[in-house]
Amino acid sequence: MIIRKAIWPRTLSDFFSMSFILTIVPIIYWFELWVVLPATYKHDSLSYTLNFLFGNFIMINIVGNFTYTIFCDTSTRRDIMPISAANTKDGWRLCTTCETLAPPRSWHCPTCNVCILKRDHHCIFTGCCIGHFNHRYFIMLLLYLFVATTYSFYYNNFFIWSRVRFEFPMSIIKIVLPLAIFVFGFDGSINQFYLLLYIVSVVGMLYTGVLCIYHVSLVLNGNVANESNKRIRTYDLGWKQNIKEVFGERWYLTWLLPYIKSQLPHNGIIWTTSNSWQCTNPKRK
């Protein structure tokens, strides 16, 4: 993996969004494993041990995939553009901003100020673009954030509503509008802070759930976000090969840990199209 040199957010929106993730994830992690879990199971029980291990497994994957997404350089700077192979019929073009040849499926990012190989989008929560070489880590980051928030939501329901006094309509307002907690104030109890964390986890579950559905559907169709808007199906090689295009040859193991190596079938420059894939693999489509 080639390390990205400039990893700090370039805009205020990136900075605040990334800072929010770096702050709220450790707080939720502490809340779930050091507050909710001990209140749900006894320390010496098997259920406590299994849930504690599972919680740490999720956290390792969130941290690992987040780190790889940020540090992985997926721009055109990482490869020497083979000028002899550049052909406008194949999708090559001259990027007037970068003043360099840009291969097929690459787009210029005005925030990162560079062309990104197979650019999907610019993620404000990681402060970088999602492209060919870090697409796998971004998808797994979304997946584990969704698993974490869903897992938290299940246990938080029992924990919160056994401690927070429900008062109509104030409790409804504070749940529907999280900022209302600061408007109407805390009730002088740590339970209101727990309620805020509960609301954050619910919002996170809904948000990451929608993103998971959207991005997984793109992967299965062989597209990235920029191509989906144009309904391009040029690179749809069938669902299984489309998964390999993002997660690599060992795609069935990449969900375990981000540190598992899985070689991608392409270099981010030269691509296999649907027509050529059907000709060489007529039974796999």
Side-chain angles (χ1 to χ4, degrees):
M1 181 181 73
I2 298 179
I3 304 297
R4 195 163 63 97
K5 296 180 180 179
I7 63 172
W8 299 111
R10 295 172 177 266
T11 64
L12 281 178
S13 60
D14 284 8
F15 174 78
F16 286 116
S17 300
M18 189 173 174
S19 298
F20 173 76
I21 291 295
L22 292 175
T23 302
I24 197 62
V25 169
I27 292 177
I28 295 292
Y29 170 71
W30 160 81
F31 175 58
E32 301 302 334
L33 293 190
W34 273 268
V35 178
V36 177
L37 187 59
T40 307
Y41 299 109
K42 294 181 179 180
H43 285 80
D44 56 352
S45 66
L46 178 61
S47 297
Y48 177 90
T49 302
L50 292 177
N51 280 279
F52 185 82
L53 292 176
F54 184 62
N56 280 282
F57 170 75
I58 293 175
M59 188 62 176
I60 289 172
N61 274 279
I62 290 175
V63 173
N65 284 295
F66 184 84
T67 304
Y68 271 79
T69 300
I70 292 176
F71 280 91
C72 182
D73 185 2
T74 190
S75 69
T76 55
R77 292 172 182 163
R78 60 173 292 144
D79 292 286
I80 299 175
M81 299 293 102
I83 299 177
S84 59
N87 190 328
T88 54
K89 294 181 180 180
D90 296 329
W92 286 79
R93 58 182 176 77
L94 176 64
C95 179
T96 55
T97 307
C98 291
E99 296 183 349
T100 185
L101 288 172
R105 310 189 78 182
S106 65
W107 286 272
H108 185 85
C109 176
T111 303
C112 298
N113 195 30
V114 67
C115 283
I116 305 297
L117 296 172
K118 201 188 77 171
R119 182 176 183 266
D120 186 82
H121 71 287
H122 182 88
C123 177
I124 62 174
F125 293 104
T126 58
C128 66
C129 271
I130 308 303
H132 180 58
F133 290 100
N134 65 354
H135 199 181
R136 158 197 170 180
Y137 307 111
F138 171 75
I139 296 294
M140 296 312 299
L141 173 63
L142 275 183
L143 177 62
Y144 275 102
L145 283 173
F146 176 67
V147 171
T149 49
T150 304
Y151 186 62
S152 299
F153 175 70
Y154 174 78
Y155 281 102
N156 288 350
N157 279 313
F158 300 103
F159 177 82
I160 290 294
W161 300 119
S162 64
R163 286 163 175 78
V164 176
R165 186 178 59 210
F166 187 86
E167 296 179 352
F168 185 85
M170 298 308 300
S171 294
I172 298 296
I173 295 175
K174 291 179 180 180
I175 292 173
V176 177
L177 303 173
L179 293 179
I181 291 178
F182 298 99
V183 176
F184 296 101
F186 293 83
D187 65 357
S189 160
I190 190 64
N191 288 333
Q192 284 295 342
F193 177 64
Y194 293 161
L195 178 61
L196 178 61
L197 295 181
Y198 168 75
I199 295 170
V200 171
S201 66
V202 172
V203 174
M205 178 184 66
L206 297 175
Y207 183 67
T208 55
V210 171
L211 288 180
C212 277
I213 294 173
Y214 173 69
H215 284 284
V216 169
S217 65
L218 288 177
V219 172
L220 294 177
N221 290 325
N223 284 342
V224 291
N226 281 325
E227 295 168 344
S228 67
N229 296 332
K230 302 174 184 178
R231 297 182 179 180
I232 298 175
R233 300 298 293 272
T234 306
Y235 306 101
D236 184 3
L237 310 180
W239 69 268
K240 188 173 183 179
Q241 187 60 31
N242 290 340
I243 291 176
K244 289 184 179 180
E245 296 286 311
V246 175
F247 296 97
E249 295 299 327
R250 304 175 72 190
W251 58 273
Y252 48 87
L253 295 177
T254 53
W255 67 272
L256 289 172
L257 286 171
Y259 315 108
I260 295 176
K261 293 183 178 181
S262 183
Q263 182 66 37
L264 293 171
H266 292 292
N267 59 3
I269 299 175
I270 301 174
W271 298 96
T272 301
T273 63
S274 302
N275 292 334
S276 61
W277 179 257
Q278 287 181 348
C279 293
T280 56
N281 303 272
K283 295 182 180 180
R284 294 190 179 185
K285 182 66 178 173

